[in-house]
Amino acid sequence: MKITSLVFLAAMLCATSVLAQELTITTNKKGKVGFVDQSGKTIVKCQYDSALPFTNGISIVTKSGKQGMIDESGRTLIKPTYKEIKPWGNDLYWLNNGKKQGLADRNGKIVLKLNYTHISAPNCYGKAWISSGGKAKKNFEKTYMKGAKLGIIDKTGKVLVTPKYAGLYEFSRERDKEPFHEGLWLEEKYMYIEDTLQTDCAYLGFSKKDKEVFKAGLMDDLGKEIIKPGTYTYIAKPVNDMARFFYHKKGTHYGYFNVRTGKQIEIGKSDFALSEISWFLHGDFHGDLALAKGNTWAFIDRNGKAVRSGYKEFKCDKSTGYWVGKNDKGIFEVYNRKCEPVPALDGAEDIAFPATKEDKEVFGVKRNGKYGIIDRSGKELLPFEYDFISANTLDFMIVAKNGECGLFHPIDGMVVPIRYTQIITPVERNTKHFWVRQSDSLYYHYNSETKEQGSKGYKYITTNFKDGIALALPAQFRMEDTPINRAQLYEPNTKENIRAIDPAKDINVFGYIINTEDKELFDLPVSVLYTPLVLEEINKLGKKELTPSDKKSILLLVTRPNRSYNLNSVISESEWNY
């Protein structure tokens, strides 16, 4: 390496070292502020009325009531001429001149001209909404821009949707009830200035007038208008380029709009109004197929042609993506997204699918009147000799045979033997602790790691083991009607009249706090709502063993915001904390 290169490199390292030093705010005798380095050397002269600490090499400074930006060398990036400046996103800064708003980069270059009455903060997808015109109005103590035109920008400040729409709507409303059944639908709401967008804005609804979501058109993420306003009453977010729709015209018409080709496919019509329809009509496209209901269920392609039909019942399993149909003989037919049969599951009398996508793909399947467990390839994990098998939930499946049940794990096998009358479904993946019920109708803790069952039986199991804790009540427990117990039925500081309720009617929400070592950490009734508060107080005490007085004091403390007493009443001994 040449000596000149070494000198240049050394100089660069020194400069970097200086700039990387932590600068602190200093004030002169006149009250002006600037910055000094760690040695006390002045880097930025005391000339500002105030300044914010440097963040990412930028400080926002104020002079004569106006704000600007400087870098760590004191170089002015934006002159102090703005009413307000604040960071926006990762690399930009929001500017407000008192009338309009815009954006600048970290070098002070304007990337979005100050032409807007509001610019929201960017959401996690890097999208923000902007408004042109309008006046700030209050609604439920929140501010929105009444009469404004709305648009969308990205995280670089690029305008994606020109602010010319009085109504701009996101696909953020879930309506999984019939006849909508699935998908995301347009949501009409006020755009408060504190709000950010909720979605990636891949598609948006729009209208020329405010609050016309039922007449909204459809646009893409670049603002291209795809469907004109007023065409449909409801539009669902396009899935695989196909947008489901409903519209009213002497009944309810339904079908699909292909956002790529602009072609409409009307599937059917109901004589009922949409609000009166209580059955599923059509679903989103999964791959090149969708499920629609006419006289019977049918698979349709993108042209609306029936590919497979004649089913009494049908659904798309969300955990696997499989199509599941029941024919007129009561036999299930299962297809993948390409409408190809799944041989391992095809022809079953019943199928229990995994509860979620995170659960292993093993299935409880009924053939010839008996259940077994198979994997996706059809390999038997349990033979077909059981009376019932539940869905795989957190990788646990309840299996029943001859009136008794056990618990199966796809990897570990039978973790709880088949000898109990009931097993409460676990709420934790990979847990080793379960509640099982014996013929005496009491529940016992079963540890699958030690293969041991606890000796004490409980009548009520309020919560299963989670994080090493469960709630349960013993067989002889009697719920007392006390202010402490009544208070635990509501969140603290409730406005409800807790004197008018009876805890005995809600005994199923109370329990003793029990750990996985079968120790009753707290043998007074605690509700599900108050368990975290009680555990917090137990940890604060830090005792291995709580005295009766400790437990009483804890309950009195956590229920204090909800307890009240009639001044003419006599407070019982249990309500006093000495």
Side-chain angles (χ1 to χ4, degrees):
M1 184 181 289
K2 294 181 179 179
I3 192 167
T4 52
S5 298
L6 288 170
V7 172
F8 174 75
L9 179 59
M12 287 296 292
L13 289 172
C14 288
T16 303
S17 175
V18 170
L19 290 175
Q21 291 187 75
E22 183 178 349
L23 301 181
T24 56
I25 296 174
T26 184
T27 307
N28 66 12
K29 295 180 180 180
K30 296 181 178 180
K32 300 295 183 182
V33 301
F35 289 88
V36 296
D37 64 15
Q38 292 174 326
S39 68
K41 180 182 177 182
T42 298
I43 304 299
V44 179
K45 292 180 179 180
C46 294
Q47 55 183 306
Y48 300 106
D49 299 330
S50 64
L52 294 177
F54 279 96
T55 303
N56 296 325
I58 303 292
S59 173
I60 297 172
V61 296
T62 304
K63 180 184 282 188
S64 301
K66 300 291 184 179
Q67 291 192 327
M69 286 166 41
I70 61 172
D71 65 16
E72 288 179 310
S73 69
R75 181 169 64 97
T76 298
L77 303 174
I78 294 179
K79 293 181 180 180
T81 57
Y82 291 94
K83 180 180 179 181
E84 187 178 5
I85 300 175
K86 60 184 179 182
W88 189 91
N90 293 328
D91 298 306
L92 300 183
Y93 290 83
W94 175 83
L95 310 177
N96 179 3
N97 65 11
K99 294 182 179 180
K100 296 292 179 70
Q101 301 172 16
L103 297 172
D105 65 18
R106 57 182 295 104
N107 295 314
K109 179 183 177 182
I110 302 297
V111 296
L112 184 66
K113 293 182 179 179
L114 281 78
N115 293 332
Y116 306 97
T117 50
H118 183 69
I119 302 171
S120 79
N123 68 4
C124 61
Y125 303 100
K127 303 293 176 64
W129 66 271
I130 56 176
S131 65
S132 177
K135 292 184 178 180
K137 293 289 183 180
K138 289 282 188 180
N139 182 55
F140 295 108
E141 301 304 317
K142 286 187 169 184
T143 302
Y144 72 102
M145 301 304 296
K146 184 177 181 180
K149 303 295 184 182
L150 305 176
I152 306 288
I153 60 174
D154 66 13
K155 63 182 179 181
T156 69
K158 179 183 178 181
V159 176
L160 303 177
V161 178
T162 303
K164 61 180 181 180
Y165 301 101
L168 202 58
Y169 317 103
E170 292 184 88
F171 286 100
S172 56
R173 185 179 181 187
E174 293 187 22
R175 307 184 69 178
D176 57 358
K177 293 185 179 180
E178 320 293 13
F180 301 97
H181 187 67
E182 61 181 343
L184 291 171
W185 301 79
L186 294 173
E187 184 172 14
E188 182 179 78
K189 63 175 186 175
Y190 283 99
M191 297 290 271
Y192 295 112
I193 62 173
E194 301 91 348
D195 292 347
T196 59
L197 294 167
Q198 300 179 66
T199 69
D200 61 0
C201 301
Y203 292 97
L204 293 163
F206 70 95
S207 59
K208 300 297 182 182
K209 294 182 179 179
D210 189 19
K211 298 193 180 303
E212 287 193 336
V213 71
F214 300 118
K215 296 181 180 179
L218 179 72
M219 68 169 65
D220 65 15
D221 58 346
L222 298 177
K224 179 183 177 182
E225 297 181 4
I226 301 170
I227 299 176
K228 293 181 179 180
T231 306
Y232 303 118
T233 309
Y234 291 92
I235 308 172
K237 183 178 180 180
V239 176
N240 291 317
D241 299 334
M242 302 293 280
R244 291 158 61 205
F245 66 74
F246 296 97
Y247 72 88
H248 297 300
K249 187 177 181 181
K250 295 181 179 180
T252 299
H253 299 251
Y254 57 97
Y256 300 89
F257 183 92
N258 190 318
V259 298
R260 297 297 178 189
T261 66
K263 182 180 178 180
Q264 173 184 298
I265 304 169
E266 189 162 311
I267 299 302
K269 173 182 173 292
S270 170
D271 293 331
F272 291 91
L274 193 62
S275 60
E276 299 173 329
I277 298 173
S278 58
W279 60 90
F280 176 42
L281 294 175
H282 63 329
D284 287 332
F285 266 80
H286 297 272
D288 290 325
L289 296 172
L291 188 62
K293 189 178 188 303
N295 294 328
T296 61
W297 289 100
F299 282 122
I300 61 170
D301 62 19
R302 290 176 180 268
N303 295 314
K305 181 181 177 181
V307 177
R308 297 181 186 271
S309 59
Y311 298 98
K312 294 173 64 178
E313 299 177 20
F314 230 108
K315 72 171 185 175
C316 179
D317 177 65
K318 292 183 179 180
S319 66
T320 60
Y322 288 158
W323 292 105
V324 188
K326 183 184 284 188
N327 61 28
D328 55 6
K329 296 180 181 179
I331 301 300
F332 283 92
E333 297 180 21
V334 183
Y335 306 94
N336 62 20
R337 303 249 176 164
K338 296 181 180 179
C339 201
E340 300 167 336
V342 181
L345 301 174
D346 221 23
E349 298 162 20
D350 190 16
I351 305 172
F353 286 84
T356 68
K357 292 180 180 179
E358 289 72 34
D359 297 318
K360 291 180 175 58
E361 285 198 12
V362 293
F363 309 86
V365 175
K366 184 180 182 182
R367 298 188 192 278
N368 300 317
K370 290 293 183 180
Y371 284 86
I373 297 179
I374 61 174
D375 65 14
R376 190 176 189 145
S377 68
K379 178 184 176 182
E380 282 191 13
L381 304 181
L382 277 184
F384 286 82
E385 58 184 44
Y386 297 90
D387 301 325
F388 172 78
I389 294 177
S390 72
N392 180 16
T393 304
L394 298 171
D395 291 331
F396 292 105
M397 304 173 77
I398 297 173
V399 299
K401 188 176 182 179
N402 299 326
E404 295 181 322
C405 59
L407 198 65
F408 179 81
H409 187 278
I411 302 299
D412 301 331
M414 201 67 71
V415 293
V416 178
I418 301 175
R419 65 176 185 227
Y420 297 100
T421 60
Q422 184 187 352
I423 297 175
I424 296 180
T425 304
V427 294
E428 278 187 319
R429 199 180 297 278
N430 300 320
T431 185
K432 304 295 181 184
H433 304 278
F434 311 93
W435 286 109
V436 297
R437 188 173 70 178
Q438 293 201 138
S439 56
D440 61 3
S441 298
L442 296 181
Y443 293 90
Y444 297 83
H445 167 216
Y446 184 87
N447 186 329
S448 66
E449 195 167 35
T450 63
K451 295 181 171 46
E452 293 179 349
Q453 176 188 300
S455 59
K456 183 170 182 177
Y458 293 85
K459 186 175 182 179
Y460 302 99
I461 304 301
T462 306
T463 63
N464 214 326
F465 285 103
K466 186 175 182 181
D467 299 326
I469 295 295
L471 286 184
L473 288 175
Q476 304 304 319
F477 178 80
R478 180 178 173 273
M479 177 61 71
E480 295 182 358
D481 184 6
T482 66
I484 287 178
N485 291 338
R486 290 198 298 271
Q488 292 187 73
L489 291 173
Y490 293 96
E491 295 278 2
N493 298 302
T494 184
K495 295 181 180 179
E496 299 286 342
N497 178 13
I498 66 170
R499 295 180 189 172
I501 59 177
D502 182 2
K505 294 181 179 179
D506 291 294
I507 193 172
N508 60 316
V509 303
F510 287 89
Y512 290 177
I513 298 177
I514 301 166
N515 67 12
T516 54
E517 297 175 355
D518 292 327
K519 181 179 180 181
E520 292 178 351
L521 301 180
F522 203 89
D523 57 359
L524 293 176
V526 181
S527 76
V528 174
L529 280 174
Y530 281 76
T531 302
L533 298 177
V534 171
L535 287 172
E536 184 180 344
E537 294 303 321
I538 291 175
N539 291 332
K540 285 180 182 178
L541 289 177
K543 291 184 176 181
K544 289 185 178 180
E545 296 287 342
L546 296 180
T547 66
S549 178
D550 291 333
K551 297 168 189 176
K552 176 182 172 182
S553 296
I554 287 173
L555 280 184
L556 286 170
L557 176 65
V558 298
T559 60
R560 181 186 297 167
N562 278 3
R563 284 184 291 112
S564 61
Y565 301 91
N566 188 318
L567 292 176
N568 296 322
S569 65
V570 177
I571 300 175
S572 70
E573 186 73 16
S574 64
E575 303 296 321
W576 285 98
N577 184 1
Y578 297 104

